[in-house]
Short mmCIF file of all heavy atoms in Angstrom, two decimals:
data_model
loop_
_atom_site.label_atom_id
_atom_site.label_comp_id
_atom_site.label_asym_id
_atom_site.label_seq_id
_atom_site.Cartn_x
_atom_site.Cartn_y
_atom_site.Cartn_z
N TRP T 86 47.77 220.59 13.10
CA TRP T 86 46.74 220.26 14.09
C TRP T 86 46.73 221.60 15.10
O TRP T 86 47.80 221.94 15.48
CB TRP T 86 47.04 218.92 14.69
CG TRP T 86 45.97 218.45 15.71
CD1 TRP T 86 44.78 217.84 15.59
CD2 TRP T 86 46.04 218.58 17.31
NE1 TRP T 86 44.16 217.63 16.65
CE2 TRP T 86 44.83 218.02 17.66
CE3 TRP T 86 46.90 219.14 18.11
CZ2 TRP T 86 44.62 217.81 19.06
CZ3 TRP T 86 46.64 219.01 19.55
CH2 TRP T 86 45.57 218.43 19.92
N ILE T 87 45.64 221.96 15.57
CA ILE T 87 45.49 222.94 16.53
C ILE T 87 44.42 222.65 17.55
O ILE T 87 43.38 222.28 17.26
CB ILE T 87 45.17 224.31 15.94
CG1 ILE T 87 46.20 224.74 14.80
CG2 ILE T 87 45.10 225.46 16.99
CD1 ILE T 87 45.76 226.01 14.02
N ALA T 88 44.72 222.83 18.80
CA ALA T 88 43.57 222.74 19.85
C ALA T 88 43.83 224.10 20.67
O ALA T 88 44.78 224.38 21.29
CB ALA T 88 44.02 221.53 20.85
N VAL T 89 42.63 224.78 20.65
CA VAL T 89 42.68 225.94 21.60
C VAL T 89 41.65 225.76 22.59
O VAL T 89 40.47 225.45 22.40
CB VAL T 89 42.07 227.10 20.54
CG1 VAL T 89 42.01 228.39 21.40
CG2 VAL T 89 43.09 227.39 19.45
N SER T 90 42.13 225.91 23.80
CA SER T 90 41.30 225.63 25.08
C SER T 90 40.37 226.86 25.24
O SER T 90 40.68 227.86 25.19
CB SER T 90 42.13 225.45 26.20
OG SER T 90 43.11 224.34 26.04
N PRO T 91 39.19 226.45 25.72
CA PRO T 91 38.17 227.53 26.00
C PRO T 91 38.39 228.23 27.32
O PRO T 91 37.78 229.31 27.49
CB PRO T 91 36.83 226.79 25.88
CG PRO T 91 37.17 225.40 26.42
CD PRO T 91 38.57 225.11 25.76
N SER T 92 39.19 227.74 28.14
CA SER T 92 39.56 228.35 29.44
C SER T 92 40.99 228.19 29.76
O SER T 92 41.69 227.36 29.09
CB SER T 92 38.62 227.88 30.54
OG SER T 92 39.12 226.69 31.01
N GLN T 93 41.44 228.80 30.84
CA GLN T 93 42.85 228.78 31.20
C GLN T 93 43.16 227.37 31.91
O GLN T 93 44.29 227.04 32.19
CB GLN T 93 43.23 229.84 32.23
CG GLN T 93 43.21 231.26 31.58
CD GLN T 93 44.19 231.31 30.42
OE1 GLN T 93 45.42 230.85 30.63
NE2 GLN T 93 43.79 231.79 29.25
N TYR T 94 42.06 226.64 32.19
CA TYR T 94 42.09 225.34 32.92
C TYR T 94 42.02 224.09 32.13
O TYR T 94 42.35 223.06 32.68
CB TYR T 94 41.04 225.47 34.12
CG TYR T 94 41.08 226.65 34.88
CD1 TYR T 94 40.15 227.74 34.64
CD2 TYR T 94 42.21 226.97 35.82
CE1 TYR T 94 40.22 228.84 35.41
CE2 TYR T 94 42.26 228.18 36.37
CZ TYR T 94 41.23 229.07 36.27
OH TYR T 94 41.32 230.17 36.94
N GLU T 95 41.69 224.21 30.91
CA GLU T 95 41.54 222.99 30.02
C GLU T 95 42.60 222.94 29.05
O GLU T 95 43.29 223.89 28.69
CB GLU T 95 40.22 223.16 29.29
CG GLU T 95 39.05 223.15 30.21
CD GLU T 95 37.72 223.17 29.26
OE1 GLU T 95 37.55 222.56 28.38
OE2 GLU T 95 36.94 224.17 29.75
N ARG T 96 43.21 221.66 28.82
CA ARG T 96 44.22 221.45 27.92
C ARG T 96 43.75 220.16 27.07
O ARG T 96 43.00 219.35 27.59
CB ARG T 96 45.47 221.03 28.69
CG ARG T 96 45.96 222.14 29.51
CD ARG T 96 46.47 223.38 28.61
NE ARG T 96 47.14 224.42 29.51
CZ ARG T 96 46.48 225.30 30.26
NH1 ARG T 96 45.19 225.32 30.16
NH2 ARG T 96 47.22 226.20 30.88
N PRO T 97 44.32 219.98 25.90
CA PRO T 97 43.96 218.80 25.11
C PRO T 97 44.60 217.48 25.88
O PRO T 97 45.62 217.68 26.54
CB PRO T 97 44.56 219.08 23.77
CG PRO T 97 45.62 220.05 23.99
CD PRO T 97 45.19 220.92 25.22
#
Side-chain angles (χ1 to χ4, degrees):
W86 186 82
I87 303 171
V89 179
S90 300
S92 76
Q93 295 300 312
Y94 309 104
E95 296 179 47
R96 301 293 186 275

